[in-house]
């Protein structure tokens, strides 16, 4: 195979994105590029390229290599010195290949102690590879066949900040209490689209974002979250929590929690005793049918509340349900069974979405004092112009959007 070497005064690429793709093509066989950025001198090789799609990685690459991009080939095997013994190597992109564990030698990164970014997504790995560089900060393993993280596989990666394991085949037995416990700098962990039935144990306290959406979680255990006290974003959408899977107070120790996503879980009530500093509660497409006077009192700082596509009827929404939410700016009640506007809406509300309900009348009282309301969505209800009471719009001085049903000329 013919290789070409040349010098290019390009700078080191920026951080790897969530879906890294660094290969472009104008013909049927994309060019494979191996980018090398090193100290430029007479003997420095800065670009290695081949016009063919590779099935086997090159056995030897320059020792001065800093960034290697073998993405979007058909690579099934790499060799110890493909990426090994490269003291300046910082980033390796191997996504969109056909690598299995058999094609990745255990000493693949021996002597390459500066690698901070490794992308192995969209391959055929069945377990997390051993002997990964201890210097890693970002590790992409999404879209593989990973069913197990061997014990100790991540014990040396103490600099890891981002770990992407979504769209794999992980079950509870494929993880243990030590899997993530040594990752003392981990901030972002994506385990969505797996087969987990429980929140993993041993989560580090540095973790800020935890994606667990589209698993099979039926119960959130407080002990599993106790170590992750720094968590800010918890995403649990499309699991199987049901009526009892999120017990009252189970999330209370997460004092800094900013956002909780629990849509599509079959919840029958708003979770009780949530962290007081919670700012965003997103739970559409559940079965919430009741909103009591005290259901939301534990979260006075809530700025966004999304209860769209639940089973709320006006008779079962208490008139004081929203009164404690003085910081609330966005309220989404789309797709419920409301026949009238809720009472006691917070005066600082900016957005109120009520489309696809069964509203039959608008009266001025529920909208009184909402002088900061900018968007009011009322489409797909049962309203007619004659159903709008006199003075309904009088105090809505900031209103910018009124969806589909009324215009200025319709206002009494």
């Amino acid at each position: 195979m013919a290789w070409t070497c040349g010098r290019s005064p390009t700078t080191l690429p920026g951080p790897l994105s969530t879906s890294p793709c660094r290969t472009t093509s104008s013909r049927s066989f994309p060019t494979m590029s191996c980018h090398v950025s090193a100290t430029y001198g007479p003997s420095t090789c800065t670009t290695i390229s081949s016009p063919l799609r590779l099935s086997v990685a090159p056995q030897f690459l320059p020792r001065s290599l800093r960034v290697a991009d073998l993405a979007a080939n058909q690579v099934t095997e790499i060799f110890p010195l493909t990426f090994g013994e490269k003291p300046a190597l910082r980033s390796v992109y191997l996504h969109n290949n056909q690598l299995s564990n058999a094609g990745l030698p255990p000493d693949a990164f021996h002597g390459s102690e500066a690698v901070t970014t490794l992308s192995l997504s969209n391959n055929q790995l069945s377990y997390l590879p051993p002997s990964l560089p201890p210097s890693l900060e970002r590790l992409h393993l999404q879209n593989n066949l990973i069913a197990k993280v061997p014990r100790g596989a991540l014990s040396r990666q103490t600099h890891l900040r981002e770990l992407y394991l979504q769209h794999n085949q992980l079950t509870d037995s494929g993880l243990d209490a030590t899997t993530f416990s040594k990752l003392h700098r981990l901030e972002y962990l994506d385990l969505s689209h797996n087969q987990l039935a429980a929140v993993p144990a041993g989560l580090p306290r540095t973790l800020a974002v935890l994606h667990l959406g589209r698993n099979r979680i039926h119960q959130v255990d407080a002990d599993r979250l106790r170590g992750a006290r720094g968590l800010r974003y918890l995403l649990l959408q499309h699991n199987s929590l049901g009526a009892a899977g999120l017990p009252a107070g189970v999330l209370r120790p997460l004092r800094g929690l900013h956002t909780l996503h629990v849509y599509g879980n079959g919840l029958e009530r708003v979770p009780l005793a949530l962290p007081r500093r919670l700012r965003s509660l997103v739970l559409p497409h559940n079965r919430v049918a009741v909103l009591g006077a005290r259901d939301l009192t534990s979260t006075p700082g809530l700025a966004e509340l999304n209860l769209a596509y639940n089973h709320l009827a006006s008779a079962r929404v208490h008139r004081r349900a929203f009164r404690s939410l003085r910081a609330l700016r966005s309220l989404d009640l789309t797709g419920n069974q409301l026949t009238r506007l809720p009472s006691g809406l917070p005066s600082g509300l900016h957005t109120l979405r009520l489309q696809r309900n069964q509203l039959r009348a608008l009266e001025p009282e529920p909208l009184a004092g909402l002088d900061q309301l900018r968007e009011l969505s009322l489409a797909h209800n049962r309203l007619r112009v004659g159903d709008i009471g006199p003075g309904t719009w009088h105090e809505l001085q900031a209103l910018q959007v009124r969806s589909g049903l009324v215009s200025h000329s319709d206002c009494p």
Side-chain angles (χ1 to χ4, degrees), residues 64-139:
S64 58
L65 194 64
R66 291 189 68 185
V67 179
D69 189 345
L70 298 179
N73 282 279
Q74 298 175 353
V75 174
T76 60
E77 184 178 7
I78 66 173
F79 300 93
L81 291 179
T82 303
F83 305 119
E85 304 299 334
K86 309 287 188 293
L89 187 60
R90 297 294 302 274
S91 302
V92 177
Y93 303 102
L94 280 164
H95 51 280
N96 298 326
N97 278 288
Q98 299 178 23
L99 273 172
S100 66
N101 290 91
L104 199 61
D107 55 352
F109 298 96
H110 180 74
S112 299
E113 305 295 328
V115 178
T116 59
T117 297
L118 174 60
S119 177
L120 287 163
S121 58
N122 291 89
N123 278 282
Q124 300 174 19
L125 302 174
S126 57
Y127 59 88
L128 196 141
S131 304
L132 294 173
S135 52
L136 279 179
E137 296 179 6
R138 288 172 294 278
L139 176 57

Side-chain angles (χ1 to χ4, degrees), residues 14 139 172 228 230 249 289 310 312 335 362:
L139 176 57
D172 295 345
N310 277 278
L312 289 169
L362 288 183

Side-chain angles (χ1 to χ4, degrees), residues 147-310:
K148 183 178 180 61
V149 179
R151 192 176 183 87
L154 292 171
S155 61
R156 299 189 308 138
Q157 284 68 38
T158 56
H159 296 278
L160 197 64
R161 294 189 294 110
E162 302 172 20
L163 177 56
Y164 301 87
L165 280 163
Q166 66 268 34
H167 290 279
N168 277 288
Q169 299 177 11
L170 285 167
T171 62
D172 295 345
S173 62
L175 307 173
D176 62 38
T178 67
T179 300
F180 307 112
S181 62
K182 302 295 184 182
L183 304 179
H184 301 309
R185 298 185 186 182
L186 190 65
E187 300 172 1
Y188 187 102
L189 176 59
D190 195 338
L191 291 165
S192 62
H193 295 267
N194 278 283
Q195 301 170 26
L196 301 173
V199 176
L203 296 172
R205 65 183 306 158
T206 54
L207 194 63
V209 180
L210 177 59
H211 284 264
L212 288 169
R214 293 192 181 275
N215 277 278
R216 301 173 182 176
I217 298 172
H218 54 82
Q219 178 84 30
V220 175
D221 189 340
D223 290 338
R224 296 295 181 95
L225 291 171
R226 186 163 288 122
R229 291 182 178 269
L231 203 61
R232 300 264 300 157
Y233 298 87
L234 177 57
L235 310 180
L236 287 163
Q237 64 270 24
H238 296 292
N239 277 281
S240 305
L241 294 175
L246 205 58
V250 69
L251 302 179
R252 201 65 183 264
L254 305 178
R255 296 182 179 180
L257 192 66
H258 179 282
T259 297
L260 174 62
H261 282 211
V262 284
Y263 51 84
N265 269 284
L267 300 178
E268 296 180 3
R269 295 291 297 260
V270 172
L272 300 177
L274 292 171
R276 288 187 60 82
R277 297 179 185 175
L278 192 70
R279 297 282 291 168
S280 178
L281 178 57
V282 183
L283 38 78
H285 294 282
N286 281 285
R287 299 174 185 167
V288 178
V290 178
L291 205 53
R294 300 188 59 80
D295 286 1
L296 297 167
T297 55
S298 67
T299 54
L302 207 61
E304 177 190 8
L305 176 59
N306 189 331
L307 283 162
Y309 297 100
N310 277 278

Side-chain angles (χ1 to χ4, degrees), residues 329-341:
R329 298 295 178 264
S330 176
L331 175 60
D332 195 338
L333 294 168
T334 300
N336 280 279
Q337 300 164 21
L338 302 174
T339 55
R340 61 179 183 269
L341 293 179

